[in-house]
Amino acid sequence: MTINLINNISFLIALAAAGQVVVLRLPENTLNRQVLLGLLFGGAALLGMANPVNFAPGVFFDGRSIVLAVAGVVGGGVTAAIAAGMAAFYRYQLGGIGAPVGIIIVLLSALFGVLARQWWLRRTKPPRPIDYLALGVVVQLMQLAAFTQVPNRAGYAFIEQAWWVLLLFYPLTTMLLCLIFRNVEQQLIDKAALQSARDALVAEERASLQRFRAYFEHSSIGFAITSAEKGWLEVNDALCAALGYSRDELTRLTWAELTCPADLPADQMQFDRMLAGEINSYDIDKRFIHKEGHLVETHLAASLVRKPDGGVDYVVAVVEDLSERKQAQRSLAESEARFEGIFEQAAVGIALVATDGRWLRVNGRLCSIVGYTQEELLAKTFQDITHPDDLDADLDQVRRMCAREIDNYSLEKRYYRKNGGIVWINLTVSMVRKNDGTPDYFISVVEDISARKAVEQSLAEQVEEMSRWQAAMLGREARIISIKQEVNELLAQSGQPPRYGVQLPTDRVPGVGQI
């Protein structure tokens, strides 16, 4: 009995070894794998039945229940069906009074293994060792129960002698075999996950490299890969266009040769620090020498790429051509300087005014017109110094301009000077709007028209005086003509000829004609 048990254990060890080979070599859930496992488990069951422990003629036991239960757990329905079919057919061929019970044990062992597999697959957690042990206990209890059905109570002798072996060693063997196969499958899963992660990493690196290459080649910014010796290893078209060289010409030069001598020391110092490991990257504004001889203003960003052993591999340089930007900045600075000169030196007052009336900026001429310093004026609003009689008309124009009814307006109004006097101005206002069209601020041009207003007032007074003199003179002339007429009439009454020959202007004295 002991030798037969040892032989059965040897068969199970061989089964585990051969099963691992099949599981490792064939993909999971394929028909070939299931069939091979079925043949393997079926063969192990046959070997076990060929070396049984005999208790009576036609009554024996072996490790087939373990093999078939594990077959259902490891391979599923197809594997269990093949193994159970082989074992049942062989048990039938062996015959004896225990053959029907033996066939039932074969079929139920395989079925229990398949049902356990299906139950564990539905759970979110993998089966534990205790679950495998419980399966082994259930299968052996089923086998003990089946042996009670052997005719002539022949199975009871087996139960009395072997129950402790079945309930102690066989469940443990079932658990160990299931754990062995589960560990192998877990290794496969881990290996597949690791390979998948590696493939994903390689694919990502390849895609990243392709994206970098596409960006490198087609970027509007200059890109270069240089060596620790300052030589150009790779350059893109944007860098060639910025410096005026072809790729072949650039790769035969060093960046130090193309750097403006005045900028080379600062660049060299940062480059040496990066090679020494003090810094990993740096950026600097520098000038390159164009192929045609003029300077190209650029912004350089350099990063060091090291080998796995820490040695210097290459340097990635990003060279942005700043020529247009620098020119635009210079043009903007010149424009601002011109504006500043016009603003401050203008012969008229100029002011930037917020929509609520606050002075944002004023020039010196406006300050001289109203007599305030810039600081004093910026602390006020235009409403503060506007004559009350003129304020409503001004605010109405502001409202219309904010509502887009008009684009600008001009009017004559009066400001209060700091000393309390009044100054007449001609005001022209336009609006600056934000990108969304809402009002931002006003531009006000203020012209001092006090002198003109004084002349206009003087002329008006002179015209009024002349009108009064003309009216007075016109009345005197009419009176003289009337007197002369009276004299002529008296002379005519006395028979004397008229002394005066006059004609009263009909357009001045109605009803008076030639005398």
Side-chain angles (χ1 to χ4, degrees), residues 434-452:
K434 300 177 182 177
N435 292 333
D436 60 2
T438 58
D440 194 1
Y441 60 90
F442 303 106
I443 300 177
S444 298
V445 178
V446 178
E447 181 183 2
D448 184 356
I449 59 172
S450 298
R452 194 190 78 193

Side-chain angles (χ1 to χ4, degrees), residues 234-303:
E234 290 188 53
V235 295
N236 69 348
D237 291 338
L239 183 61
C240 293
L243 302 183
Y245 291 90
S246 66
R247 293 194 181 198
D248 183 62
E249 289 172 333
L250 272 182
T251 53
R252 282 183 278 147
L253 298 169
T254 66
W255 55 260
E257 294 176 288
L258 298 179
T259 300
C260 175
D263 299 340
L264 184 57
D267 195 1
Q268 182 69 57
M269 181 185 68
Q270 295 286 52
F271 187 80
D272 291 342
R273 291 183 63 206
M274 188 170 64
L275 294 183
E278 297 179 16
I279 55 176
N280 294 321
S281 62
Y282 70 93
D283 62 281
I284 189 173
D285 285 346
K286 61 176 288 186
R287 292 166 293 177
F288 281 104
I289 303 173
H290 194 273
K291 184 179 180 180
E292 296 178 355
H294 62 268
L295 295 179
V296 180
E297 296 181 274
T298 69
H299 180 77
L300 169 69
S303 299

Side-chain angles (χ1 to χ4, degrees), residues 159-281:
I159 295 173
E160 290 176 1
Q161 298 182 41
W163 66 268
W164 63 275
V165 176
L166 295 181
L167 294 180
L168 179 61
F169 293 107
Y170 274 37
L172 288 173
T173 305
T174 302
M175 180 186 71
L176 291 175
L177 282 176
C178 288
L179 287 174
I180 290 172
F181 279 102
R182 191 187 75 173
N183 290 338
V184 173
E185 291 183 344
Q186 188 61 47
Q187 291 177 13
L188 287 177
I189 293 173
D190 294 343
K191 182 179 179 181
L194 179 60
Q195 186 61 43
S196 176
R198 287 176 178 173
D199 293 342
L201 180 60
V202 170
E204 177 60 28
E205 288 179 349
R206 186 180 294 111
S208 177
L209 182 60
Q210 291 174 347
R211 288 193 297 269
F212 173 76
R213 175 57 61 182
Y215 186 66
F216 183 92
E217 293 295 341
H218 303 295
S219 175
S220 59
I221 298 176
F223 271 93
I225 295 177
T226 71
S227 66
E229 293 74 29
K230 310 179 189 63
W232 305 98
L233 301 179
E234 290 188 53
V235 295
N236 69 348
D237 291 338
L239 183 61
C240 293
L243 302 183
Y245 291 90
S246 66
R247 293 194 181 198
D248 183 62
E249 289 172 333
L250 272 182
T251 53
R252 282 183 278 147
L253 298 169
T254 66
W255 55 260
E257 294 176 288
L258 298 179
T259 300
C260 175
D263 299 340
L264 184 57
D267 195 1
Q268 182 69 57
M269 181 185 68
Q270 295 286 52
F271 187 80
D272 291 342
R273 291 183 63 206
M274 188 170 64
L275 294 183
E278 297 179 16
I279 55 176
N280 294 321
S281 62

Side-chain angles (χ1 to χ4, degrees), residues 355-392:
T355 54
D356 60 0
R358 291 177 296 107
W359 303 98
L360 301 176
R361 185 176 180 184
V362 295
N363 69 349
R365 176 55 182 158
L366 180 59
C367 293
S368 66
I369 291 174
V370 294
Y372 290 95
T373 64
Q374 288 190 347
E375 291 75 13
E376 292 171 337
L377 204 53
L378 293 178
K380 296 179 176 293
T381 66
F382 77 85
Q383 296 96 322
D384 294 335
I385 64 172
T386 298
H387 194 283
D389 295 343
D390 301 335
L391 184 57
D392 289 341

Side-chain angles (χ1 to χ4, degrees), residues 70-211:
V70 175
V73 172
V74 174
V78 174
T79 298
I82 294 174
M86 293 173 61
F89 180 76
Y90 185 63
R91 182 66 187 89
Y92 174 77
Q93 293 296 322
L94 292 176
I97 61 174
V101 172
I103 293 173
I104 291 174
I105 291 173
V106 166
L107 297 178
L108 288 178
S109 298
L111 178 61
F112 284 1
V114 173
L115 292 177
R117 174 187 174 88
Q118 296 301 317
W119 180 36
W120 292 331
L121 288 176
R122 288 187 177 92
R123 298 195 312 181
T124 57
K125 296 181 179 180
R128 300 164 298 173
I130 190 66
D131 296 324
Y132 295 132
L133 184 64
L135 171 64
V137 171
V138 170
V139 170
Q140 299 313 315
L141 288 175
M142 176 274 299
Q143 182 169 214
L144 289 174
F147 266 95
T148 63
Q149 303 303 313
V150 177
N152 302 324
R153 298 178 61 86
Y156 282 93
F158 163 76
I159 295 173
E160 290 176 1
Q161 298 182 41
W163 66 268
W164 63 275
V165 176
L166 295 181
L167 294 180
L168 179 61
F169 293 107
Y170 274 37
L172 288 173
T173 305
T174 302
M175 180 186 71
L176 291 175
L177 282 176
C178 288
L179 287 174
I180 290 172
F181 279 102
R182 191 187 75 173
N183 290 338
V184 173
E185 291 183 344
Q186 188 61 47
Q187 291 177 13
L188 287 177
I189 293 173
D190 294 343
K191 182 179 179 181
L194 179 60
Q195 186 61 43
S196 176
R198 287 176 178 173
D199 293 342
L201 180 60
V202 170
E204 177 60 28
E205 288 179 349
R206 186 180 294 111
S208 177
L209 182 60
Q210 291 174 347
R211 288 193 297 269

